[in-house]
Amino acid sequence: MATSKPPKAVLFDIGGVCVLSPLEAIITYENKNNIPRDWINFAISKSSPDGFWQRLERGQIKMDEEFFQGFNADLRNERLWKDFHTSFRNSKKKLKDVANSTQLGDHVSLKAEAADTTPTDQDRGAQSPTTSDQQPSETESQSGGRPSLSKLAKDTTIGDPVSIESEDVAQNPSTKAPSPDKQSTASSSPSPPKATSTLEQLPPLPEIDGESLFWSMMAHSRDPDPYIFPALLRLEKLPANQRPILAALSNTVIFPPGHPYNRLSDTQESDPKNHFDIFVASAEVGMRKPNEDIYQLALERLDKFDKERGGNGVKAEDCVFLDDIGENLKTAKALGMKTIRVVLGKTWRAVKELEQATGTELMDDKTRRSKL
């Protein structure tokens, strides 16, 4: 099944890959509170590199009242609000003109790719016994419940909430340019009154409860992904001579001492931390993706781990890396890693790519039949 030499190591992001994406919680919050779509992602990402979110992920500040006050301030930054309306939202270039498979999410966000077919029930959790019978219908999602992944894939951006932005795609490509006669008529008509300044046209900054938003994101991203997490378990159970080194490379936060979220999941089995040989967490090492230093650290730990067990070490070209953020994948690819993009609502596609890379079946028969 493998199309090339199987990797020595497979590295996984956590949020949006091994567990559900917090992006869905952001979209729900924006919809519920009538906040312009993508504003929250824009405000967080454009606060980089020294916004409160980024500093929390590097472990430079504690998750306390000061953090939430600063996070609120980042979400109410007037300069970014102006930029959001004057440059970001006014951009009408189509995604295909500004992104390709090697330049994903680099401050030009990615619309979720169009589905080949309408997602089935299996798309919403075929391999997850806790989710397969409990997903809301499309109608229920539109009536105020949790949005369906099929809707999110069509209408929203993908990725993690700290490094992704989206673009508005022109929705009416059939609109024709005015005829020459009409253009000449328009040019001979009186000039319209001079528009008011951009600042005067801006709507007021939305009120956002940063603490409430933050905890909704954290709560949502505690459930294992119904496709990638089972694939991780299957890799873990392979015979030693076939099993790649399993590593996590993730932007994380540190919760207060004693907080239940210090574990990624509520059970030992579903906690991804228990299934990796190496776990590189941004808040613990003082670095974060997409900066190259954290990837180099992960490679150093992989190399040491392999040599300690009698191997000849690990290089970047020996690795496959899964992430839902294009900017993070760009760094990995530049270093020589093979990369797999995980798409919101279609994570099973990433599993199929991982099967090709590893030469291992990682889906159960029921799921495989539904995707053929």
Side-chain angles (χ1 to χ4, degrees), residues 49 109 251 343 346:
S109 77
N251 289 344
V343 178
K346 304 180 191 66

Side-chain angles (χ1 to χ4, degrees), residues 15-34:
V17 178
C18 292
V19 299
L20 300 183
S21 173
L23 174 67
E24 189 176 348
I26 292 178
I27 297 165
T28 299
Y29 187 94
E30 287 179 336
N31 291 339
K32 181 179 179 181
N33 294 280
N34 296 316

Side-chain angles (χ1 to χ4, degrees), residues 143-163:
S143 64
R146 173 176 161 182
S148 70
L149 292 183
S150 62
K151 178 172 177 56
L152 295 177
K154 293 176 182 176
D155 296 342
T156 68
T157 58
I158 60 174
D160 109 4
V162 297
S163 59

Side-chain angles (χ1 to χ4, degrees), residues 281-303:
S282 66
E284 296 174 2
V285 300
M287 316 169 192
R288 66 185 293 276
K289 299 179 294 183
N291 289 356
E292 184 179 315
D293 53 0
I294 194 170
Y295 296 81
Q296 295 288 7
L297 176 64
L299 287 170
E300 290 172 10
R301 292 187 179 182
L302 286 167
D303 185 68

Side-chain angles (χ1 to χ4, degrees), residues 242-275:
Q242 300 177 29
R243 181 186 182 279
I245 303 171
L246 300 176
L249 176 56
S250 185
N251 289 344
T252 61
V253 299
I254 297 175
F255 295 98
H259 195 283
Y261 283 9
N262 279 309
R263 291 191 308 171
L264 287 178
S265 184
D266 295 326
T267 66
Q268 287 289 108
E269 175 67 15
S270 60
D271 190 337
K273 279 188 176 180
N274 298 322
H275 305 285

